[in-house]
């Protein structure tokens, strides 16, 4: 029997559902608007003069061979080891290849509350502002946003995303570079393959998939269950063409980075999956390359992080595929 109480309950539920739908739509609109920030939004800082330096733009011509972008959140202890290994490797390559091999390292401090920026500025002083550059975000905005901020001001012909924990052997960069040189769409005609090789479009993804069995044996049963659920969601978004989407070691050609990072919207954990989805939609070839990787103490992945990752994957699925609120701009449009 329909009563006043049931009518109130129904109205309350309907109002709540309408509010949730409205908030979801608003979130998609706000996230979309926030993603289109200009490179000039973030200043570089030169510790020798304390000047804020207007940044370059990824849409300008490359003036370096390689840019390495390192997102860092509370990494004062792990960052020095990473930078020492990285700078040593890059110097060795410059000595071997000659002066034509030029590089820059861009450290993006994602609102750290420790001395991450202080450590980064020490390396600017030691190796020069031309070689090491620092962006400080006003607050913690997420790894995805930090990487995007660095990519948008990079000067390299190739752009490498590398984690601050030194978990991946930096010498494996050569494997990613070789993969980019060989990268073409499987099954394409010889003419298409030749055009793709000349196009300057490509993305090489470091992968730990060859270590999967070892990782499963180390993890707890509930963590393995969560990972299976995560991979199921990933497959719903990008299929199974890339086995390891989350390895923080990815190399992009400049043309590819322009298109991908201009379109990127996810700020935190699952921006990697979004980048692969965007690459698929924009017909940017992807190579998955096995890399050497080791577990490093200090991981920031928690149970709540896994929940956030699931929410972000659903956002990618809904934003691009279901609601169509997030449109993808072509290279000509960006």
């Amino acid at each position: 029997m329909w009563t006043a109480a049931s009518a109130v309950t129904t109205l309350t539920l309907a109002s709540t559902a309408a509010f949730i739908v409205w908030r979801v739509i608003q979130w998609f609109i706000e996230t979309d608007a926030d993603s289109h920030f200009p490179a000039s939004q973030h200043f570089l800082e030169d510790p020798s003069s304390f000047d804020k330096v207007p940044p370059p733009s990824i849409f300008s011509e490359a003036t370096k061979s390689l840019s390495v972008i390192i997102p860092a959140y509370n990494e004062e202890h792990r960052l020095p080891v990473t930078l020492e290994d990285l700078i040593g490797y890059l110097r060795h390559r410059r000595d071997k290849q000659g002066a034509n091999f030029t590089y820059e390292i861009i450290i993006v401090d994602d609102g750290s509350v420790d001395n991450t920026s202080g450590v980064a500025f020490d390396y600017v002083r030691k190796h020069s502002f031309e070689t090491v550059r620092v962006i400080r975000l006003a607050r913690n905005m997420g790894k995805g946003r930090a990487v995007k901020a660095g990519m948008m001001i990079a000067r390299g012909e190739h752009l490498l995303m590398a984690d601050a924990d030194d978990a991946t052997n930096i010498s494996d960069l050569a494997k990613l570079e070789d993969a980019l040189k060989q990268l073409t769409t499987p099954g394409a005609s010889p003419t298409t393959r030749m055009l793709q090789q000349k196009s300057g479009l490509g993305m090489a993804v470091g992968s730990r998939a060859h270590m999967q069995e070892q990782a499963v044996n180390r993890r707890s049963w509930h963590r393995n269950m969560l990972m299976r659920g995560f991979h199921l969601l990933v497959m719903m978004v990008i299929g199974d063409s890339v086995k390891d989407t989350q390895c923080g070691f990815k190399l992009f050609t400049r043309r590819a980075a322009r298109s991908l990072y201009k379109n990127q919207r996810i700020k935190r954990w699952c921006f990697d999956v979004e980048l692969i989805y965007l690459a698929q939609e924009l017909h940017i070839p992807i190579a998955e390359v096995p890399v050497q990787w080791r577990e490093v103490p200090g991981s920031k992945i928690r149970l709540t992080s896994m929940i956030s990752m699931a929410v972000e994957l659903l956002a990618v699925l809904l934003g691009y595929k279901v609601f169509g609120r997030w449109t993808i701009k072509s290279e000509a449009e960006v």
Side-chain angles (χ1 to χ4, degrees), residues 55-322:
S57 170
I58 195 174
F59 297 102
S60 302
E61 291 299 314
T63 58
K64 299 283 185 181
S65 304
L66 176 70
S67 295
V68 182
I69 291 83
I70 302 177
Y73 176 64
N74 293 343
E75 293 287 2
E76 64 175 341
H77 299 298
R78 300 195 297 184
L79 188 59
V81 176
T82 300
L83 291 175
E84 289 295 331
D85 286 349
L86 175 59
I87 292 170
Y89 170 80
L90 294 174
R91 280 183 162 180
H92 176 73
R93 280 193 55 172
R94 185 192 58 198
D95 293 342
K96 185 177 179 181
Q97 296 178 222
N100 287 335
F101 177 73
T102 55
Y103 59 87
E104 67 175 346
I105 300 167
I106 302 172
I107 303 161
V108 186
D109 182 354
D110 185 22
S112 298
V113 295
D114 65 357
N115 193 39
T116 294
S117 60
V119 170
F121 283 131
D122 285 343
Y123 279 84
V124 179
R125 295 184 187 96
K126 184 177 179 181
H127 298 281
S128 84
F129 177 71
E130 181 63 22
T131 301
V132 182
R133 298 187 158 195
V134 178
I135 300 175
R136 289 194 292 180
L137 303 187
R139 58 185 175 85
N140 178 247
M141 302 189 74
K143 181 181 177 181
R145 180 60 182 269
V147 171
K148 179 171 181 171
M151 289 284 178
M152 296 299 286
I153 67 161
R155 296 175 288 169
E157 189 64 37
H158 285 162
L159 295 86
L160 175 70
M161 176 186 80
D163 283 344
D165 60 3
D166 203 31
T168 306
N169 192 325
I170 185 59
S171 64
D172 280 345
L173 170 60
K175 295 180 182 178
L176 271 61
E177 291 172 323
D178 289 340
L180 281 186
K181 292 176 184 176
Q182 303 297 323
L183 196 53
T184 53
T185 303
S189 67
T191 302
T192 301
R193 291 168 67 90
M194 182 179 68
L195 290 172
Q196 287 177 336
Q197 287 176 339
K198 292 180 178 180
S199 70
L201 279 173
M203 172 182 180
V205 178
S207 176
R208 304 157 297 180
H210 60 292
M211 304 169 63
Q212 178 63 20
E213 183 176 348
Q214 180 183 354
V216 168
N217 291 335
R218 282 202 311 265
R219 289 194 298 253
S220 62
W221 68 268
H222 60 276
R223 189 173 174 85
N224 280 325
M225 183 178 68
L226 288 170
M227 289 303 297
R228 290 190 189 98
F230 173 76
H231 289 306
L232 179 61
L233 286 172
V234 169
M235 288 183 63
M236 293 172 63
V237 177
I238 63 168
D240 62 353
S241 58
V242 176
K243 306 301 181 186
D244 181 7
T245 60
Q246 301 308 111
C247 181
F249 199 68
K250 294 180 173 68
L251 183 67
F252 308 85
T253 62
R254 191 170 185 82
R255 277 189 66 194
R258 284 171 178 165
S259 296
L260 294 174
Y261 284 96
K262 186 63 176 178
N263 279 294
Q264 178 203 328
R265 293 168 171 88
I266 297 298
K267 298 179 183 179
R268 294 193 178 274
W269 300 107
C270 285
F271 75 102
D272 306 78
V273 179
E274 182 189 17
L275 291 175
I276 293 168
Y277 173 78
L278 290 169
Q280 292 172 339
E281 293 297 303
L282 292 166
H283 306 291
I284 295 173
I286 304 170
E288 186 170 11
V289 183
V291 295
Q292 301 174 66
W293 185 89
R294 63 184 182 277
E295 193 79 43
V296 178
S299 171
K300 297 179 176 64
I301 301 291
R302 303 289 185 268
L303 176 60
T304 53
S305 305
M306 299 294 291
I307 296 171
S308 297
M309 291 165 77
V311 171
E312 288 178 352
L313 283 175
L314 287 172
V316 172
L317 191 64
L318 295 173
Y320 288 112
K321 291 188 172 184
V322 178

